[in-house]
Amino acid sequence: MTVHTPTPEGGRIIDEPMSEALSQRYLAYALSTITNRALPDVRDGFKPVHRRILYAMHQMRLNPQAAARKCAKVVGEVMGGYHPHGDASIYEALVRLAQDFAQRYPLVDGQGNFGNIDGDSAAAMRYTECKLTSAATLLLEGIDQDAVDFRATYDDQDEEPVVLPAGFPNLLANGSSGIAVGMATSIPPHNVGELIDACMVLLERPEATTGELATIVPGPDFPTGGVAVEGHASILDAYETGRGGVRLRARWETEDLGRGVWRIIVTEMPYQVQKSRLIEALADLIEHKKAPLLGDVRDESAEDIRLVLEPKSRTVEPEVLMESLFKLSDLEVRFPINMNVLDATGTPRVMGLKACLQAFLDHRRDVLVRRSHWRIDRVEKRLHLLEGLRIVFLNIDEVIRIVREEEQPKAVLIARFGLSELQADFILDTRLRQLARIEEMTIENEYKALAEELAALQALSLSPAKQWKTIGKELELVRKALISPRRTTIAEAVDASAYAPVEAFIPREAITVILSERGWIRAAKGKVEDPSELKFKEGDALAFLEPAFTTDKILVAASDGRIFTIGADKLASGRGHGEPLRLMIDLDESAGIIAVLAHQPGAKLLVASKAGYGFIAPEDDLLAQKRGGKQVLNGDLLAALRVRGDYVATLGENLKALIFPLAELPEMGRGKGVKLQTYKQGGLQDLTVFDAETGPEWADGGGRRRNWPDWKDWLGKRAGAGRMGPRGLRKFR
């Protein structure tokens, strides 16, 4: 293809394939999202927006000892100078840095309403104030001492740090989460004391394994506490590979009320679970009878969390109640671990625990060396000036004479004493009070101290062993400043199968499942003796009536070939009109209901399509766990009959009947099945399963049941055409 060179008039018009143009631009967008927005840097654990917030606050001198400033002022500084995005996203990031239930070690000291664990949002930025915490100052320490590289801001008007000096492993201490293009990250918070202890092990023995480090860092330490029940082996695998997950449960205790009465008190929530939404979900479970062991839930929280769960019966064990709620609600959550970060070169990588800690230590060494060189340069300059002052004190009278009498005192001083221009300028700028005898002693002491410091710094910059030792001492000081007890308990993996299922505690009561023609379903207590007495909405009527028990699973077969499963205990009371079936299952608008059956373990169903194909399906394989049900038959479902007999009778739309042994049908979990009866035109109209001893029955036009004594005359092989059925045969059921 010919590529035309853009003309001056055409300006920015470029002739290139659309696919190539789109791929190049989407790749640029993806890389920008990955490196500049979603993934944190392994060295300081920050995304650009968080790094820019802290640096802007540092530039505003909002240290822990200073007075707090309005968050609107901070957001404005960040947006105007460093982060060219909306103020809402910047403020949201700032708020999260201040929330003690979101950050294990908050980096912003917020004053005002910064939200709560109930999910309430923070007040507007014009009302709240903020400043840095002591933990944040540890991350920024040395940033003005050439500790890290800087780059131009988006408008080239200023500079911003590429990475912060990071006095502690913030990536693992506070964790991070984000979604990029084609990749994501999810890193849980940890205890900084444990992380520093693991760093000390790596400093002593760089060959230490992840397994050894995992004995020091047994697992995440979430700010909201809770109990991690994933198990050591699973957590170790996540630390080895950088991918995995941890199950986190709420912390609870049993409160004895006397006389065998008790209740559950939840004192700690799983990480990132909003308490108000959890309470709503638990109340919804009670209302819809999905938590048969839970009687009531209420929130008695003040400053501390106190969630009260009352059992429906005192005979239930507290452990059984909680296990059922862990399955049904966010009292247990699984926090994914995906330690996908940007390494020192800006390349996305999935790192394990050891790799993350080693990358942090390598960064600290770079920071230490750069700060040492920065300090060496300034000490050497100061020593150079002090050497000039020492010459002044040794020749004080001559210096004073030169300054008083010479027209060019600077040139004379340089020539007379061999000074540099810098020393000469410093001497001439020195005040007379600094030439007192006591000042001479001060200068000598300063010179001696700086000379010793210079020697130590030069030795440090040349010795990797001394550098690692210094890093260890610095980490010990950080550990003392930030140490706090572990909040999350690491427990052994819980085997939930050891507890009886929730269904085992549902009272077994006889009911009758009622489904109307318009799809309203309900459960009447006991047996419905006279269906004609049932009431429905105007224009509606009875479609299906199925006896069952509250402990049963109800199978609902739809015309699109899917079979849905509904717990009988979850059906609405039979006193009203019930509720729409489509609210309980994901049933297509175009699909109709073919059958409603109470599941019988071990039983089998004969499913058949309108095209005349079918097979035998074990009922146990048809139970579905999701609202979408299970796709069982490929085709339009005509019938789903429980198998009770040894022969199958089919009736085509051409009114030809065929009877063949049930054994000729295969047993399958799903599929199209085999041909039941052959038709030149039309398809299957009806079928039934019967026992040879009793023979089949069929219904005539008046709805009366008729025997079929000579049914053997219609015996044949499966897939045959059959012969015309008895006069009046239109259906079997």
Side-chain angles (χ1 to χ4, degrees), residues 492-510:
E492 290 299 320
V494 175
D495 183 12
S497 64
Y499 296 91
V502 176
E503 290 79 3
F505 298 93
I506 300 174
R508 181 178 170 84
E509 299 176 352

Side-chain angles (χ1 to χ4, degrees), residues 282-484:
L282 291 174
D284 188 65
L285 290 175
I286 296 173
E287 181 180 354
H288 292 87
K289 302 179 182 179
K290 295 181 180 179
L293 307 185
L294 183 61
D296 190 20
V297 56
R298 62 180 180 274
D299 186 11
E300 297 181 355
S301 303
E303 292 184 1
D304 297 328
I305 291 177
R306 180 180 169 85
L307 192 61
V308 180
L309 307 176
E310 294 188 352
K312 205 162 190 177
S313 171
R314 70 178 69 177
T315 58
V316 179
E317 293 294 328
E319 291 78 11
V320 175
L321 169 60
M322 291 307 296
E323 284 297 328
S324 69
L325 295 180
F326 287 144
K327 293 179 181 178
L328 296 169
S329 71
D330 280 346
L331 284 170
E332 175 183 304
V333 297
R334 188 177 187 275
F335 189 91
I337 297 177
N338 181 15
M339 299 168 74
N340 191 9
V341 296
L342 299 176
D343 63 14
T345 65
T347 305
R349 284 178 53 197
V350 177
M351 294 186 175
L353 174 66
K354 180 179 178 179
C356 287
L357 292 177
Q358 190 60 57
F360 164 74
L361 291 174
D362 293 340
H363 174 58
R364 285 304 298 169
R365 183 185 175 191
D366 291 340
V367 168
L368 177 64
V369 171
R370 292 183 61 147
R371 291 182 68 184
S372 299
H373 289 158
W374 179 88
R375 181 61 182 166
I376 287 172
D377 182 56
R378 275 148 184 78
V379 169
E380 287 177 339
K381 288 181 180 179
R382 180 62 179 171
L383 286 173
H384 183 63
L385 297 177
L386 292 178
E387 285 176 356
L389 285 179
R390 291 174 75 188
I391 293 174
V392 169
F393 282 111
L394 291 174
N395 305 276
I396 185 67
D397 294 332
E398 178 65 12
V399 169
I400 292 175
R401 187 196 67 78
I402 292 172
V403 172
R404 290 185 62 186
E405 299 178 0
E406 298 293 338
E407 293 183 3
Q408 299 290 333
K410 177 179 177 181
V412 175
L413 286 173
I414 292 174
R416 176 73 176 80
F417 300 109
L419 302 176
S420 67
E421 286 195 20
L422 191 65
Q423 288 174 319
D425 288 335
F426 184 69
I427 291 170
L428 293 173
D429 292 338
T430 302
R431 295 180 180 180
L432 287 176
R433 74 175 64 177
Q434 292 181 261
L435 301 179
R437 185 69 184 172
I438 192 170
E439 287 295 328
E440 183 180 2
M441 297 174 61
T442 302
I443 290 171
E444 284 296 328
N445 291 335
E446 183 184 357
Y447 187 88
K448 182 180 179 180
L450 288 177
E452 292 176 355
E453 182 184 355
L454 179 62
L457 287 170
Q458 289 174 336
L460 176 65
S461 64
L462 297 173
S463 173
K466 289 184 178 180
Q467 293 166 9
W468 291 125
K469 187 175 181 180
T470 303
I471 290 172
K473 291 180 180 178
E474 291 177 347
L475 288 176
E476 278 294 337
L477 295 176
V478 172
R479 188 181 188 279
K480 291 179 181 178
L482 295 181
I483 189 170
S484 63

Side-chain angles (χ1 to χ4, degrees), residues 711-725:
W711 61 270
K712 292 184 180 180
D713 294 341
W714 278 263
L715 271 175
K717 289 189 174 295
R718 178 187 60 78
R723 50 180 289 204
M724 291 299 294

